[in-house]
Structures are given as C-alpha cells and as structure tokens.
Amino acid sequence: MKIFATLGAAAAMMTAGAAYAGPAVLVEAKDHAIISGGIGSGTPLETRNQSGLAAFYVDEGTSLHPFTAVITHTTIFSGYEWFSDSGTTSAAVSYFVDASSRIKGINHFVLWNEESSGIGVFDLYYGAAPGALTDLVLAGITPTDNPLVDYLPDVYEFSKRPNTGWWTLVMDGCPQPIVGSYPACAVGEVAWGGPSVPEPATWAMMLGGFGLVGFAARRRRQSLSVTA
C-alpha cells in the first residue's frame, strides 16, 4: 500500500504543479518603447535581444543565477547597446514582458550596465502601458560602475509582479562616474526572471523516481521478512 501512497503523493504534486515553482529562470522582454532621452544611438531592441551577450539564454528555460554569474556583455557598441541623445543626463525606456503560465510571477530584474556611459542611478516601475509609473518596484538603485572591459550584470530581486506588463526603467545621473567617451545614458542588456513550474517531462521523471524508490523499499521489506 505504501508504494501506491508514494505514487499518489507524487501525482498530487504534479496536479498541483501551479503551487510548486523551482529556481528563477530568465525571461526575455518582447517589446520596448523609448519614453525620454531622445531616439539616441542604437536601439533598445539591442538591449533585450541578447545580441551583446557572450552566450545566449533560452527564454523561460535558462536558470537565472548560474547564467548571470558568468555571462558578460561586450564593450562593442554597434548592434549591441542603446545610448540616449548626447548630452542627456536622464532617460527612460519601457520594456514589455509577457511570460507564459509556466512562470509564477516576475521577481527578478537583470541589468548589464553599459561600461562607457552607463546609468548613475535608476528607478524601476511596473505598469499596464509604456511609461506608466504605477508601481515603484525598485527605487534609487545605483548599479555597478563598470570599467572598460566586458562586464557582468547586476541582479535585483523583489516581490512578485504579474507575468504580463510594461516595466519602465527611469535612468538618472548619467553617465556613470567612470566616464567613457560619450555623455549620455546607456543600457547594455536587460532581462527579467521568475520561478518556473517544471515541464511535464520533468514531472514524469519525478514520478518514475518516486516509483523506483517505493519499489525498492517494498523489495527490501520483503527481503527482511524472508530473512526473519
């Protein structure tokens, strides 16, 4: 009976998958809108499509923390970054995130702060439309002032927000103190993250594992009974 109880418990876990979430995975923004700072140079598309990263991640599939611990962003500008208009000290860009139901809320923001003309300080808002400053998620954050080499990201964690919505990055104090060659706000790359529910194949493997454990336990009990 215990083997069936074990399998039953595992099946219940699978049925209640929405209540279980694993480690955070990376979520890619799907759209963007420049709110202030001018058209600038480059495009915000290049700050959300992974073009400047040393390796690509799988949207909603790659574990956030191991990836961000080692993957750098290039110092090359063309095709990989966005700069606000020359001479601007503040700017704002909104990013649209639309994660699937596998993601159980968005609770991470990842920023590769551009090494030459990066952000001095920023606020991050969540809202229903581009530029909507409805929900202040992160306030007065000073990102890493990166030197002129390929650079790692900063990772910020906060309480969960919905899977779908616009995130507005309000930048100020630009460029960062270690100034490069261009007086402006600049973004290397951004990403979001949230805990995910395992894929059905993963649940199947877990169920199989539970079954083997239960079977082994039953065989052991039978063996002990014969010995006794």
Side-chain angles (χ1 to χ4, degrees):
M1 290 297 293
K2 288 186 178 181
I3 184 172
F4 294 110
T6 302
L7 289 171
M13 286 175 63
M14 185 175 180
T15 303
Y20 173 81
V25 296
L26 285 157
V27 176
E28 189 176 57
K30 306 302 189 293
D31 200 0
H32 66 269
I34 298 173
I35 306 303
S36 64
I39 295 176
S41 302
T43 166
L45 172 62
E46 294 159 359
T47 70
R48 64 178 177 84
N49 66 0
Q50 309 183 46
S51 61
L53 299 182
F56 292 108
Y57 62 83
V58 177
D59 186 23
E60 299 188 18
T62 299
S63 293
L64 186 151
H65 291 289
F67 184 90
T68 57
V70 297
I71 299 303
T72 59
H73 191 285
T74 180
T75 59
I76 299 172
F77 158 68
S78 182
Y80 303 123
E81 302 168 342
W82 176 78
F83 288 71
S84 61
D85 286 348
S86 178
T88 54
T89 60
S90 62
V93 177
S94 292
Y95 295 90
F96 181 63
V97 174
D98 186 23
S100 72
S101 59
R102 287 187 55 241
I103 306 301
K104 298 306 169 184
I106 300 297
N107 66 345
H108 286 81
F109 174 60
V110 184
L111 170 67
W112 282 263
N113 192 28
E114 200 277 334
E115 85 293 342
S116 177
S117 304
I119 303 165
V121 63
F122 74 85
D123 296 335
L124 183 67
Y125 292 84
Y126 171 81
L133 307 182
T134 308
D135 178 9
L136 179 58
V137 179
L138 296 172
I141 302 298
T142 301
T144 299
D145 188 355
N146 289 306
L148 300 177
V149 295
D150 291 357
Y151 51 95
L152 289 168
D154 296 321
V155 178
Y156 305 95
E157 186 172 0
F158 43 82
S159 59
K160 291 179 184 178
R161 264 58 175 192
N163 283 14
T164 301
W166 285 89
W167 295 81
T168 299
L169 179 63
V170 179
M171 300 164 266
D172 204 354
C174 307
Q176 59 188 3
I178 300 178
V179 180
S181 59
Y182 197 75
C185 294
V187 179
E189 184 83 17
V190 295
W192 278 259
S196 67
V197 172
E199 294 281 6
T202 303
W203 281 117
M205 290 176 64
M206 292 173 64
L207 284 170
F210 279 122
L212 288 173
V213 169
F215 179 75
R218 184 183 181 195
R219 288 291 301 273
R220 176 173 170 77
R221 287 196 301 272
Q222 291 175 341
S223 175
L224 289 174
S225 297
V226 171
T227 302

